[in-house]
Amino acid sequence: MSESINDCFESIGNWFSKKDEDERQESNDKASEMNNTASQVNGLIDDKFSAFYSLKDFLVEFWNAIQDSDDTPPDFNIVLPEFCGGKTVNVLDLSFYNNYRDYIHGIIAGICYFVYIRKIYIKIPNIIHD
């Protein structure tokens, strides 16, 4: 009798593990379908709005270069379309900015902290009474 009870529990456990494997496989299939669909949509958008992505890449590169505190000035190159020659052109030269980078970052951080602290100070009564 104990063997039949063990077999029953084992079959129930096997059923749950099979069900779990099936659900995992199903979710993996759905995730791969979503990735394929996302890749297709990104490809269509990239074909239609390639200038947008060029601008986005430039702005991301610009932002990362500003945040980077390296001593070498960043290069901002953009690749022109084929009908404009297809050359790589330096768009922005920030070599003059390197000497003043720490001061400018300090000024920007100071302004941000001033605005933040001022707004918090104005809102303190509402924060306390609410």
Side-chain angles (χ1 to χ4, degrees):
M1 175 129 175
S2 66
E3 265 185 43
S4 63
I5 291 175
N6 286 339
D7 290 340
C8 179
F9 283 132
E10 188 175 329
S11 65
I12 290 172
N14 289 340
W15 181 79
F16 277 118
S17 66
K18 176 70 172 143
K19 183 89 167 147
D20 186 44
E21 288 176 14
D22 291 344
E23 287 177 358
R24 285 184 186 181
Q25 182 62 36
E26 186 176 317
S27 69
N28 287 340
D29 292 343
K30 287 181 181 178
S32 66
E33 287 176 19
M34 286 176 42
N35 286 339
N36 291 340
T37 304
S39 298
Q40 290 174 351
V41 168
N42 285 340
L44 290 172
I45 291 173
D46 190 27
D47 291 343
K48 298 288 184 184
F49 303 106
S50 61
F52 170 75
Y53 284 107
S54 298
L55 179 64
K56 183 190 85 136
D57 292 340
F58 173 74
L59 292 175
V60 167
E61 183 180 328
F62 179 73
W63 180 255
N64 290 337
I66 288 175
Q67 297 303 316
D68 186 19
S69 61
D70 195 11
D71 286 337
T72 59
D75 291 332
F76 294 104
N77 298 326
I78 192 165
V79 179
L80 296 176
E82 288 296 323
F83 65 87
C84 293
K87 295 180 182 177
T88 301
V89 179
N90 189 4
V91 179
L92 189 58
D93 181 23
L94 291 178
S95 58
F96 69 92
Y97 174 67
N98 253 3
N99 300 332
Y100 310 106
R101 176 184 232 140
D102 293 334
Y103 300 115
I104 293 173
H105 281 244
I107 291 169
I108 292 171
I111 291 170
C112 291
Y113 279 123
F114 175 75
V115 170
Y116 174 73
I117 291 171
R118 184 170 177 258
K119 286 188 177 201
I120 289 294
Y121 182 73
I122 290 171
K123 292 182 180 183
I124 284 177
N126 292 336
I127 293 171
I128 292 173
H129 293 293
D130 287 341

